[in-house]
Amino acid sequence: KLMVGVALLIFAPEAEAAFSKLDEMARKFASDLKDKLKPPSDLGDIPDIQGTPEPNVSTPFSGSQKEFYDMAYANLLKYAKEQNLENPESVARLGAAQASLETGYGKHIVGKNYFGIKATSGKPFVEAKTQEYSPEKGMQEVTQKFRAYESNEESFEDYIKLLKQNKRYQPVLEAKTPEQAIVAQGKTV
């Protein structure tokens, strides 16, 4: 059934237009998001997260942007259905757009982490330079600790679990359309 759904997405006449619109919406969302971010009053040091540092061994995705999006969507749809989400297609489309933006369509993957999920205590992590935005300083390069995964699939599964287990993402899970999911995600910041 999953392969039939992916085939329909790829070969449907409106699939390319839908992909382009979703990509455009995700880019606008990311642009709008940086205007809404407010830095904490005291950034302080990066918290000391206990865990095992992992080497950055992720291999860049070698296909096209559409192929990357389709791969991310298929993986996320699989795990969203396994987790019995009410609207797995909307959540999978949002996640595929986010993974596309976070990784430059799979060209910059750190620790097999497709979503920029920060490390938590006791979990494997990688340290990597990234760009963060603050209204005072604009974009700046910082070193952060990111969750590291054993496999690409584990990253997709963890993203769905994170959405499901964190109450602040409940409106994202209740979204009926990808557009509603993007708006709901934007309000979680």
Side-chain angles (χ1 to χ4, degrees), residues 75-76 78-79 111-115 117 123-124 147-162:
N75 277 287
L76 288 162
K78 171 187 171 187
Y79 293 114
K112 297 181 181 151
N113 184 335
Y114 284 78
F115 303 97
I117 296 173
K123 300 286 187 174
R147 177 81 164 83
Y149 297 98
E150 292 290 323
S151 68
N152 298 337
E153 292 77 16
E154 185 183 3
S155 177
F156 292 113
E157 183 176 24
D158 194 44
Y159 173 80
I160 297 298
K161 286 180 181 176
L162 176 72

Side-chain angles (χ1 to χ4, degrees), residues 76-118:
L76 288 162
L77 183 61
K78 171 187 171 187
Y79 293 114
K81 286 181 176 183
E82 283 181 8
Q83 290 290 318
N84 297 314
L85 297 186
E86 186 177 331
N87 297 300
E89 294 83 6
S90 294
V91 173
R93 289 187 187 285
L94 170 68
Q98 183 176 349
S100 297
L101 291 172
E102 287 281 347
T103 66
Y105 291 94
K107 304 301 181 209
H108 309 285
I109 304 166
V110 176
K112 297 181 181 151
N113 184 335
Y114 284 78
F115 303 97
I117 296 173
K118 299 295 194 297

